[in-house]
Amino acid sequence: MLTRRRFLHTTGTASVAALAAFHNDGLSRIEAAGRRVEGAVPNEIAADETYWREIQQAFTLDRTIINLNNGGCCPSPRVVHEALKRYLDISNQAPVYHMWQVLEPNIESVRRGLAKEAGCELEELAITRNASEALQIAQLGIDLAPGDEVLTTNQDYGRMLDTWEQRVRRDRIVLTKISFPVPPPSQRDLVERFEKAITPRTKVIHVCHITNLTGHIFPVRQICDIARARGILTIVDGAHAFGHFPFAIRDLQCDYYGTSLHKWLLAPIGTGFLYVRADRIQPTWPLQPAAGSRAANIRKFEEIGTHPAANHNAIAEALVFHQGIGIERRYARMIYLRNRWIDQVKQEPRIKVHTSLREGEAGAIGTVQIVGMKTPEVSGKLWERWRIIATPIVHPEYEGVRVTPNVYTTLDEIDTFAGALKTLARS
Ligand SMILES: Cc1ncc(COP(=O)(O)O)c(C=O)c1O
């Protein structure tokens, strides 16, 4: 019998396609699992371990650690990682031909797939290397005069706040950061905080779709409607949103939307996208200058010099994997996993959950504090004693460990974490 190893050995360099076929088995298993649960509602599937077992097997993980920091960046499923490696191998044959002539033009298929999944026009979507780059294109590319105001929150992402602070120093704009309690009392309260902080000089509102600190999902549409009615531009930081919970960009009515794809979409590390509303493409300066003839073309934001085609092309495989699960099922599972650990710990007298548990206000991200214990000590002990990775969040107004499971997380891993947290809270 021809073993897999001998087959690869005997076929030599022609084995690239064969390799792909071996590993694509992951996708067919997910399709089969999907067929088995056809007709069931996402909430039922969220608790179907036979289904999720198939998804868990699609990754090549180190199961000796419990990775509950999927908010940082995520491992890709095997099929996506294989696609990335395959495209790198192809590129390296003669990059000027294989990378530039063969692979690079296929970025258009990725654009088409992403635009369809994200709910926008393909001519409004630029592929970037991460959410930071996407958001900074908007933040640094909008013309602002000294004294013009940008309104955001003090729980927006540090790098994005630093970017605005640089414009404060360089362009003498004014940055206003509103504060809000965690969890917020209501979505209306958040909208009102923005509304009250608007002045006649407010030119831009920058807001997270879902915050990285406690995972609160903001009422973005309402905030964008208020801004639009006053001629204020909106930049939405969706680093944690795309691939995590269902939405369509066109329904948000924002001007700019930036996201990472190496987080919840499970695409290769070094991928993201920027949505720019059609009428804002021309007036927005790219981060790296492009020819004037491209001023109204969304691709001007992709003029970044030589870069690997492998990363952005393998996004296509991540989309297929993602769609094999489906966003509704994925979101339902994320809530199921989050609730499973929170339900086990929330009665503990020293435990305080900072994430809203109201419907539609959060997904997988949950931030929890052990009152009377410093958060870096909590995350340190989780690692030392249980090999659990969870991120310590220390904000001037609150602190807690941020816990972010993913589709590959097992119930046993969730329960181990809940047990560890209880042990620490009782110590
Ligand atoms: C809210 C938020 N915005 C932006 C970013 C930046 O994302 P990236 O690392 O993809 O540039 C992050 C990263 O964690 C984030 O959490």
Side-chain angles (χ1 to χ4, degrees), residues 71-72 130-133 135 157 159-160 208 210 212 237 239-240 260 262-263:
N130 46 50
S132 302
E133 183 178 49
L135 293 163
Y157 192 61
R159 183 175 300 112
M160 289 25 270
C208 273
I210 168 171
N212 65 303
D237 177 345
H240 285 275
S260 316
H262 43 222
K263 295 189 193 288

Side-chain angles (χ1 to χ4, degrees), residues 236-390:
V236 179
D237 177 345
H240 285 275
F242 185 67
H244 186 170
F245 55 90
F247 67 94
I249 290 179
R250 66 172 64 88
D251 293 340
L252 301 178
Q253 288 295 310
C254 57
D255 293 294
Y256 304 88
Y257 192 100
T259 188
S260 316
L261 299 174
H262 43 222
K263 295 189 193 288
W264 301 94
L265 189 74
L266 309 172
I269 292 162
T271 51
F273 78 68
L274 168 70
Y275 158 85
V276 184
R277 198 182 178 90
D279 62 0
R280 289 299 310 168
I281 297 172
Q282 174 104 37
T284 306
W285 297 97
L287 209 50
Q288 293 192 29
S293 56
R294 307 258 283 179
N297 189 328
I298 190 74
R299 292 161 194 78
K300 74 178 178 183
F301 301 118
E302 294 169 359
E303 292 280 346
I304 56 166
T306 304
H307 59 275
N311 300 46
H312 58 59
N313 280 16
I315 295 169
E317 203 67 38
L319 272 170
V320 172
F321 184 85
H322 175 73
Q323 288 158 353
I325 299 175
I327 188 67
E328 302 284 349
R329 282 183 199 163
R330 189 191 211 295
Y331 184 42
R333 176 66 170 183
M334 293 299 93
I335 290 168
Y336 179 78
L337 294 181
R338 183 204 66 200
N339 288 349
R340 185 171 171 107
W341 70 261
I342 289 184
D343 286 347
Q344 292 179 59
V345 302
K346 67 183 180 200
Q347 304 303 345
E348 293 292 319
R350 288 176 66 201
I351 285 198
K352 206 169 166 187
V353 177
H354 294 309
T355 300
S356 170
L357 300 180
R358 291 185 297 260
E359 203 184 325
E361 294 187 8
I365 302 174
T367 301
V368 61
Q369 181 183 4
I370 298 182
V371 178
M373 196 169 174
K374 286 193 166 41
T375 295
E377 196 187 331
V378 177
S379 54
K381 286 203 156 64
L382 286 171
W383 173 247
E384 283 156 27
R385 290 174 60 180
W386 291 277
R387 283 292 181 261
I388 294 171
I389 303 179

Side-chain angles (χ1 to χ4, degrees), residues 151-184:
L151 181 57
T152 186
T153 80
N154 66 3
Q155 293 189 44
D156 267 74
Y157 192 61
R159 183 175 300 112
M160 289 25 270
L161 295 177
D162 289 345
T163 304
W164 286 123
E165 295 287 3
Q166 180 174 295
R167 285 204 79 168
V168 169
R169 296 194 300 277
R170 189 175 184 180
D171 302 326
R172 287 175 287 126
I173 65 161
V174 175
L175 182 64
T176 305
K177 292 182 270 187
I178 59 171
S179 164
F180 60 92
V182 290

Side-chain angles (χ1 to χ4, degrees), residues 80-100:
V80 176
H81 198 59
E82 288 301 336
L84 173 72
K85 291 191 282 190
R86 201 162 66 243
Y87 292 143
L88 281 173
D89 285 344
I90 293 169
S91 300
N92 205 40
Q93 296 173 93
V96 290
Y97 173 69
H98 292 93
M99 188 174 80
W100 282 346

